[in-house]
Amino acid sequence: MHPEKKSSYEGLSRNIVLTVITVSMAPLILVGGLIFHQFRSIYRVKVYSHLCEVVDKHKDTVNTFLLEKLNEVQYLSRAYSYAELTAPGVLSETLRGMQQQYGRIFVDLGIVDEQGRQVSYAGPFNLLDADYAEADWYVNSRDRASSISDVFLGLRQSPHFIISINSEDADRKWTLRATIDFLAFTHLVENIRIGETGYAYILNSEGVFQTRHADNREQRLTLTPVKNIPYPEAPQGVTISESEGSDGETYLTISSDLKNGEWQLVYQQSVADAFSDMSRTENITLLVFLLGGLCIVVMAVVVSRKLVHRCKFIDAESELLNRQMVETGKLAAIGELAAGIAHEINNPVAIMIEEAGWVSDLLEDEGGELPSCSEIDRALAQVATQGRRCKDITHKLLSFARQTDSRVGEVDLPLLIREVVEISMQQARCVRVEFSLDLDESVPSVHASVTELQQVLLNLINNAIQAMESDGGTLAIACFADSSHAIMEVADTGPGIPAANLSRIFDPFFTTKPVGKGSGLGLSICFGIIHQMGGEIDVESTVGVGTRFTIRLPLPHVSHEQKTVAKEIHHV
Amino acid sequence: MSDATVLIVDDEVGFVSTMSKRLNMRDMVVYTAYEGAAAMRQLAEHADIQVVILDMKMPGKDGLTVLQEIKELYPLVEVIMLTGHATVPTAIEGIQHGAFDYLMKPCSFDGLTEKILQAVALKEEHEGEAIEARVSDIANRMA
């Protein structure tokens, strides 16, 4: 095959593959990308709104808790007078009552006088007479009726915070102080645990932690805000931002004001964790997409290979057909040329023969006494003989140009074969060749010229007999039909044709016979005749075994039943 | 008395001259012509021509036309056609137009002389019939 042709097949294959991939992948990518994007943004919104809600709800819970405790302490300060509260045992009684009522949230109670000295105390620590004058919580609460302090370690060296109520009556100002259990408070926010990294904490305005860190957290994870995420549906006071953590991960931070802005409830979760469900779905989708893409590519390649292979096959077939057409055309051209030449040669040959005849006439009359008379006679006879040979050749050439009777009629092949065999019988008997006929009488008639077919068959039979001349043999002639062709086979048991000659036996003037024995036109005439009829002639030959010529002639249209009958008979 | 009187019509001069010499030798009177018109002139001049040997392929008028003219003007003259193989269908057509027979070039000389003699015999037979017919015609008229 030509290299250009090969590359054009490869180009075709490549084009088909590219087209199929483009056409099927483009919508896939578009639709996939769109859904991917939509899913991503919708999921983001859902996560944000869920987290905002959680933070907001807990903010409310914490606020409510603080307010309740404040109210409870406030109630206490209103319900009892200074004297009552400082009376021995009353405060302890009250604390016990409150602890019974609300659990061990209130750790202790204390009354602090105007100078910051604790004058009465109930609780687990020995803090009576403690001086709070310099304590932050006391200083900060002096000018307010009630206040809640930040968490601090204080005198007892454990984190706690204090609710203080300033009261006054006619003769003095005093402060009721209640300590809230840090653990109980911390539990309020520690409950907020989402995913693996999501947890909440409370910061005061200076950024100091007001709750414990979760045990398994890095204690000091510093977060640098990267961007604020404006989220329109966030409840009042809730802000969302993304921050780069010191551990390299990106964190989602949601914060909300507490205690009138003094504290902040902060919820923090790594982005990867918050969106883990989404990433998993995305990964699965991506995998499906990749596998699908791979399938499409493989299919495209396979299908294009098949298509191109088929194309190649068809091209090769048509090339073969073209070659046959060229062959036929070549033969026709040669035929015309040969006919022209034969015609032109006929006249001079005729004259030569006549002249030779004239000389011999003259010699007969008056040359009897010439000494070389017999020699001249012989020469003239030779001229005449060779002239006749020329004539034979030119007449064969003219047959080759198909100037025989080519009128087409219905030909009964078995009958034709028997006739021709009869003609050849005498010649065959001389050289000990036996005929073996296998004729299917039901073969339908073909449209052909009888004389031409006779010529072809006679030629094949003569060739076969000549091939078996030396040793004798069997000449098997078979005739049958398949669905669309009538087939004649002429097989001999002669010496066979060497492979080198096999491709040339249909060429005009190709002959292996000695000079003067054959013109080399017989088989090319056969070839031309059979192709003219739309048929085929093939040869198979094995040296030492024999040669088989197969002629396939197209059958005129036959109905289906006839065909099957013919087939059955053939198979039987 | 000659065996036959023959007119050879062929554009091949060599063929015609040799053939005429050979036929002469066999006691035949031979006239020659190298194309159709000359052949018609010869026929007009020599009423004794019995057989025409006519080539099918000639320049000018082709053999078939000449044959038809001859048969029209001289219906009793027999025509033997000479043909190359390729013009066999033409020759068959010629026979349908009344030619005696055809020979393929190059023809064997003996075959040709035999055909000529057969043609002469046929012509004489035809002439005999024609004379008889005329005699009986005249006899009928007289009666």
Side-chain angles (χ1 to χ4, degrees), chain A residues 341-391:
Chain A
I341 292 173
H343 233 102
E344 290 313 308
I345 285 175
N346 271 349
N347 278 322
V349 169
I351 295 171
M352 276 155 59
I353 293 175
E354 288 314 319
E355 292 290 358
W358 172 234
V359 173
S360 71
D361 285 350
L362 291 178
L363 213 59
E364 222 170 84
D365 280 5
E366 49 207 79
E369 53 279 0
L370 278 175
S372 52
C373 173
S374 64
E375 192 53 29
I376 293 172
D377 247 350
R378 191 202 57 77
L380 289 173
Q382 187 66 272
V383 170
T385 311
Q386 298 310 322
R388 270 195 298 280
R389 238 178 89 192
C390 285
K391 175 189 148 178

Side-chain angles (χ1 to χ4, degrees), chain A residues 37-48:
Chain A
H37 175 76
Q38 288 289 38
F39 170 73
R40 190 175 256 258
S41 55
I42 288 171
Y43 193 84
R44 232 167 237 283
V45 167
K46 289 281 168 215
V47 167
Y48 288 154

Side-chain angles (χ1 to χ4, degrees), chain A residues 343 347 355 357 361 365 398, chain B residues 18 22 25-26 85-86 105:
Chain A
H343 233 102
N347 278 322
E355 292 290 358
D361 285 350
D365 280 5
L398 288 165
Chain B
T18 316
R22 295 191 75 187
M25 201 178 234
R26 283 162 180 74
H85 194 284
K105 262 188 184 177

